[in-house]
Amino acid sequence: MDLSALPLKRIAIICSILLLIAGVIFALWAVKWIPVAQNPNSGDVDTPLRTPQQPVGGLGAKNLPTGSGIPATSTPPVAPAAPGPEQVFFSSLTISLANDPTGGMVAFNPSTSTFIHIDSNGNASNKSEERFFDVKGITWSHDRGMAVIEDANGKSIYNFNTKERIALPSNWEEFSFSPDNRSIAFKNLGKNSNSQWLATTNLTTGKINLITQLGNEANRVHVDWAPGNTALGFITIPTDGNAQQLSFINPDGAFASSTPIEGAFFRSRWAESGKLFVFSTADVDNALTPRLWVGLGSGEHRGAYQELSLTTTADQCTFGGLNDRLLICAVPDARDAASYGLLGDIPLVPHRIVALDLATGIPKTIYTPTTPTTIKSPVIAKDAKKIYFTNVTTGQVETVPLPQ
């Protein structure tokens, strides 16, 4: 062993450690500034899948203008709340609970195989006398007058007003209604990459509009038609093991407002105004624990976003309050957050309901069940006085007051 070389080795090791520390410090600083590209991609809808442009700078989430709708500061720990009181609103098994713009709730009742309307007193009536069996998926129109139904007979659109049912091709997937409820967006997943498209169809004329070819990237496209008609959904392109490039898919098929995000397994939900959206990812470096973010869905700074201090998925949240100021979410206990909801089904773990003020970034637990309860998809009533949710354990619809 050459003892004279030992000091040089020690110096090399020390230098390597210092470089590593410097890299970590730079990385921690960099994540505080989340750029959003300002110029969308262009191209015709019949071209192959386009790769979103890399971010070229722009306004990050940390320095958004006052009143942008995104909290400007990090959120503190969630405050505790007293248990209950919860109230059983509808005692029969239900799935796909949603608020009705005319008042009350709509849902599917597997016990009777019918779609139902539940009024503000908890009384149910059938939206249609037609029965649907082995229902696996439901996508409601915004006015709740129609739904895409996936059941034993395949896929179809049912109109609750005309009682008409229109069959859909089996290779159409992932549906989303347009803001005016006259069209749907979907993925056409053909037998080969050349026949895989993001498309829309007019429900009156039946005309199909091919938006952009998906090729082999269909699983990276997330169909979610924006209420403001500014986007048909999102595309996420992985950049490494725990990061993706997020872009909006404009109605003309162009990718726009590209910005980097952390995590995998992207999910999204729009505010009714279309000005904000919430999305979640799973942290690959932390046992796939969900992370939640709120972003701007329109305007000059579309795509800028801020992380929230709630470990839940976007489909467990809903917007409410004046100007979408509140975000109401069902949140699992921290010890149950690993791999939460990745398989699509909400795991049978204890939940609480949290209200997050997006103007201040301050969350508050507004409901803790008296007994451990699995809560699915809380919904705010039209009068904004109550929150409805499905108790996954019992299948019943329960309600709690929304603090005013």
Side-chain angles (χ1 to χ4, degrees):
M1 181 177 181
D2 187 359
L3 296 177
S4 63
L6 185 59
L8 293 177
K9 290 183 178 180
R10 288 179 176 172
I11 292 173
I13 291 172
I14 292 172
C15 289
S16 298
I17 293 174
L18 290 174
L19 286 173
L20 178 61
I21 294 172
V24 171
I25 292 173
F26 176 79
L28 291 173
W29 172 84
V31 298
K32 294 182 179 181
W33 300 91
I34 306 171
V36 50
Q38 301 298 322
N39 299 318
N41 283 346
S42 60
D44 299 327
V45 298
D46 58 351
T47 58
L49 185 69
R50 296 175 293 278
T51 302
Q53 63 184 13
Q54 296 300 312
V56 293
L59 192 63
K62 286 292 186 179
N63 56 346
L64 286 170
T66 302
S68 65
I70 292 182
T73 58
S74 59
T75 52
V78 178
E86 71 277 4
Q87 177 183 347
V88 175
F89 178 67
F90 185 69
S91 59
S92 297
L93 179 67
T94 60
I95 61 174
S96 196
L97 181 71
N99 64 346
D100 190 330
T102 64
M105 296 284 131
V106 292
F108 179 73
N109 186 347
S111 301
T112 60
S113 302
T114 58
F115 285 87
I116 58 175
H117 175 270
I118 313 171
D119 67 21
S120 57
N121 296 317
N123 301 313
S125 60
N126 288 340
K127 281 183 68 67
S128 171
E129 297 302 324
E130 185 162 351
R131 301 174 73 188
F132 301 84
F133 300 97
D134 194 23
V135 173
K136 296 181 174 65
I138 299 168
T139 303
W140 288 102
S141 63
H142 301 287
D143 62 1
R144 313 309 184 210
M146 292 181 287
V148 176
I149 304 167
E150 302 173 57
D151 65 359
N153 292 321
K155 300 170 186 176
S156 62
I157 293 181
Y158 187 80
N159 189 314
F160 294 98
N161 299 315
T162 64
K163 313 304 179 187
E164 294 178 324
R165 186 171 185 175
I166 303 173
L168 300 176
S170 60
N171 59 309
W172 288 11
E173 302 280 352
E174 201 170 324
F175 303 95
S176 184
F177 279 86
S178 63
D180 61 7
N181 304 300
R182 296 178 180 177
S183 301
I184 56 171
F186 59 93
K187 296 179 190 176
N188 178 74
L189 302 182
K191 294 181 179 180
N192 56 65
S193 59
N194 292 329
S195 59
Q196 304 208 18
W197 288 80
L198 172 65
T200 64
T201 184
N202 185 292
L203 299 179
T204 302
T205 65
K207 180 182 178 181
I208 296 175
N209 183 25
L210 300 179
I211 303 301
T212 189
Q213 193 171 8
L214 303 180
N216 295 318
E217 313 294 346
N219 63 325
R220 296 177 179 174
V221 170
H222 315 275
V223 185
D224 194 1
W225 204 321
N229 208 32
T230 55
L232 296 180
F234 305 89
I235 182 169
T236 51
I237 302 294
T239 55
D240 62 36
N242 196 33
Q244 304 177 81
Q245 197 75 15
L246 172 66
S247 299
F248 295 82
I249 303 177
N250 284 349
D252 63 358
F255 298 151
S257 305
S258 180
T259 186
I261 63 172
E262 299 176 21
F265 302 100
F266 175 88
R267 296 183 187 182
S268 63
R269 176 157 289 180
W270 286 96
E272 288 187 7
S273 66
K275 295 179 180 179
L276 297 176
F277 68 104
V278 63
F279 69 93
S280 60
T281 61
D283 190 342
V284 176
D285 297 329
N286 187 25
L288 297 177
T289 298
R291 299 171 65 181
L292 194 67
W293 321 75
V294 63
L296 296 179
S298 63
E300 179 184 358
H301 307 300
R302 182 172 74 152
Y305 61 88
Q306 174 66 54
E307 185 169 12
L308 306 174
S309 64
L310 301 179
T311 53
T312 192
T313 52
D315 49 2
Q316 284 281 65
C317 296
T318 186
F319 286 90
L322 183 64
N323 297 322
D324 300 319
R325 175 169 175 163
L326 284 180
L327 188 67
I328 306 294
C329 299
V331 181
D333 287 352
R335 63 178 180 272
D336 299 311
S339 302
Y340 177 79
L342 289 186
L343 299 179
D345 295 329
I346 303 299
L348 298 177
V349 298
H351 288 70
R352 66 190 187 281
I353 295 180
V354 176
L356 184 95
D357 187 330
L358 293 175
T360 64
I362 298 177
K364 180 181 180 182
T365 297
I366 59 175
Y367 168 61
T368 302
T370 53
T371 59
T373 301
T374 300
I375 297 172
K376 182 177 181 179
S377 302
V379 178
I380 300 176
K382 181 184 178 182
D383 61 9
K385 294 181 179 180
K386 293 181 179 180
I387 299 172
Y388 298 90
F389 62 89
T390 300
N391 182 326
V392 178
T393 306
T394 64
Q396 297 176 336
V397 178
E398 298 182 4
T399 180
V400 293
L402 177 61
Q404 301 301 307

